[in-house]
Amino acid sequence: MKSSGIGGQAVLEGIMMRHGDVYSVGVRKPDGEIAVKVDPYKQVVPVKALYKIPVIRGVFNFVESLVVGTRCLMYSATFYEDEEENKAEMTEAEKEAAQKKKEKEDSLLMYGTVCFSILLCAALFIMLPYFVSRLLRAVTDSEILITVLEACVRLLIFFCYILLISRMKDIRRTFMYHGAEHKCINCIEHGMELNVENVMKSSREHKRCGTSFLFFVVVVSVIFFLFIHVSSPLWRIVIRLLLIPVIAGVSYEIIRLAGSTENPVVGFLSKPGLMLQRLTTAEPDEQMVEVAIAAVEAVFDWKDWLQKNNSTYRKGSEQE
């Protein structure tokens, strides 16, 4: 299996797919039609050389994925918003002014959501385990034992979080679209023609998934924090917060490696993340797969890619 370089995420009744410098959003509208929007993928820092530096590029990609992901979620939600009652009575000038105001509000909401998400993750997966582990000081002075407890609490919170959201009915359809996204990518990367039948029988697990990334973030943070030995409680907190970008960058490199190699050791390390994807993905229906295929084809020429990278597909094409 060779990496196609395409990735994405599920949105409200749809899927975002990114390849190279462009991304698409495919959404199943309330009337049943599929709307597909294609936009350029803008980098946080317009210096391409920085995206070649390991770890650093992971930090930029993490922030970019949050921004683009939030933007795509907001776009998909527009198809399910209630129409304003007085919209038909507005003049063209009023409509244009209202549109500009909405775009400004959406921009502020998007960046506010991204900031809130980062703060929530830091509080839930970094600070909460730290403060819970400090309770052990009442029975021991061993920093190693306290740090191990912090690691256990962090892993427990992460698993409980994944388990909780996987049980929420409102998120199940999003997880089904998440499954459709993975199935499309797996279909292509395993050398099959991209159609509904082939996608439906493909796996819904993928090594480059964001679920696996989050798992590695938790594991890498555990390893990093084991080596923090400072006496000041304040500095222990500060160092943990400062290490968040580094942890994200290292986790990105692990995911990048996992998606580009069949090394058995890397495959073994990827197993826990793949198992967690059983909770964050679900089997999609054929209509969801159609949306995923439309999103892929808007940004990626899978036929050309298969011709160049898959000998089985080439032989089949030549026979035709």
Side-chain angles (χ1 to χ4, degrees):
M1 184 180 73
K2 183 174 181 180
S3 174
S4 61
I6 189 170
Q9 75 166 59
V11 296
L12 181 63
E13 290 299 324
I15 291 173
M16 179 274 284
M17 286 289 188
R18 179 207 169 185
H19 183 256
D21 296 329
V22 293
Y23 70 93
S24 65
V25 190
V27 181
R28 177 75 70 176
K29 299 194 297 184
D31 61 7
E33 293 184 4
I34 300 175
V36 179
K37 177 185 177 183
V38 179
D39 280 322
Y41 188 89
K42 297 180 181 179
Q43 296 178 324
V44 173
V45 180
V47 182
K48 291 188 176 180
L50 293 176
Y51 287 81
K52 297 180 180 180
I53 303 175
V55 180
I56 291 178
R57 63 189 174 192
V59 178
F60 294 150
N61 275 280
F62 173 64
V63 175
E64 288 169 358
S65 65
L66 284 176
V67 172
V68 173
T70 304
R71 180 182 291 120
C72 292
L73 277 170
M74 293 173 65
Y75 169 74
S76 64
T78 60
F79 291 99
Y80 293 86
E81 292 177 349
D82 294 332
E83 293 292 329
E84 297 179 13
E85 296 180 359
N86 60 346
K87 190 172 182 180
E89 301 175 0
M90 296 172 65
T91 65
E92 288 300 321
E94 289 173 335
K95 288 181 181 179
E96 184 177 349
Q99 180 63 26
K100 289 182 178 180
K101 181 181 178 181
K102 186 177 185 303
E103 290 176 356
K104 184 177 180 179
E105 291 174 347
D106 287 348
S107 180
L108 291 173
L109 178 60
M110 179 186 68
Y111 287 108
T113 302
V114 170
C115 292
F116 176 76
S117 299
I118 295 175
L119 292 173
L120 180 62
C121 288
L124 191 60
F125 299 117
I126 303 295
M127 302 315 303
L128 181 58
Y130 170 76
F131 287 116
V132 171
S133 68
R134 294 303 98 183
L135 298 176
L136 194 60
R137 283 189 175 277
V139 294
T140 181
D141 292 327
S142 173
E143 282 296 330
I144 294 178
L145 184 59
I146 293 173
T147 303
V148 170
L149 176 64
E150 180 184 349
C152 293
V153 172
R154 181 171 292 107
L155 288 170
L156 180 62
I157 291 175
F158 176 71
F159 290 136
C160 289
Y161 172 79
I162 294 294
L163 186 62
L164 178 63
I165 64 173
S166 69
R167 294 292 184 268
M168 297 173 66
K169 292 182 179 180
D170 292 343
I171 296 181
R172 291 302 296 174
R173 283 189 65 82
T174 303
F175 283 174
M176 292 171 72
Y177 275 105
H178 190 194
E181 174 221 329
H182 284 190
K183 282 173 169 285
C184 270
I185 298 173
N186 277 321
C187 177
I188 295 169
E189 294 182 344
H190 283 83
M192 295 188 290
E193 182 176 339
L194 189 64
N195 57 47
V196 173
E197 181 182 358
N198 286 340
V199 172
M200 289 295 291
K201 64 184 180 183
S202 297
S203 172
R204 71 175 198 257
E205 300 172 0
H206 200 281
K207 292 180 181 178
R208 297 197 309 272
C209 175
T211 303
S212 294
F213 171 78
L214 289 176
F215 172 76
F216 281 121
V217 165
V218 173
V219 173
V220 170
S221 69
V222 169
I223 296 172
F224 272 49
F225 296 159
L226 281 172
F227 295 94
I228 298 177
H229 300 291
V230 292
S231 58
S232 170
L234 177 61
W235 274 110
R236 283 197 290 265
I237 294 173
V238 170
I239 291 174
R240 279 165 170 73
L241 293 176
L242 292 177
L243 280 176
I244 290 176
V246 181
I247 292 169
V250 172
S251 301
Y252 171 82
E253 296 302 326
I254 297 174
I255 285 291
R256 182 185 174 93
L257 176 64
S260 61
T261 181
E262 293 298 321
N263 183 286
V265 176
V266 177
F268 176 77
L269 294 175
S270 299
K271 285 293 183 182
L274 293 174
M275 292 173 63
L276 281 174
Q277 289 176 38
R278 283 288 167 179
L279 296 176
T280 61
T281 64
E283 287 296 328
D285 59 34
E286 292 187 355
Q287 287 192 331
M288 293 175 176
V289 169
E290 290 172 354
V291 176
I293 291 174
V296 170
E297 293 182 332
V299 295
F300 183 67
D301 188 344
W302 60 269
K303 292 182 180 179
D304 180 66
W305 188 87
L306 287 179
Q307 287 281 0
K308 294 176 180 178
N309 294 278
N310 189 274
S311 59
T312 303
Y313 184 82
R314 284 198 298 271
K315 290 176 182 178
S317 299
E318 289 169 1
Q319 291 173 357
E320 291 175 2

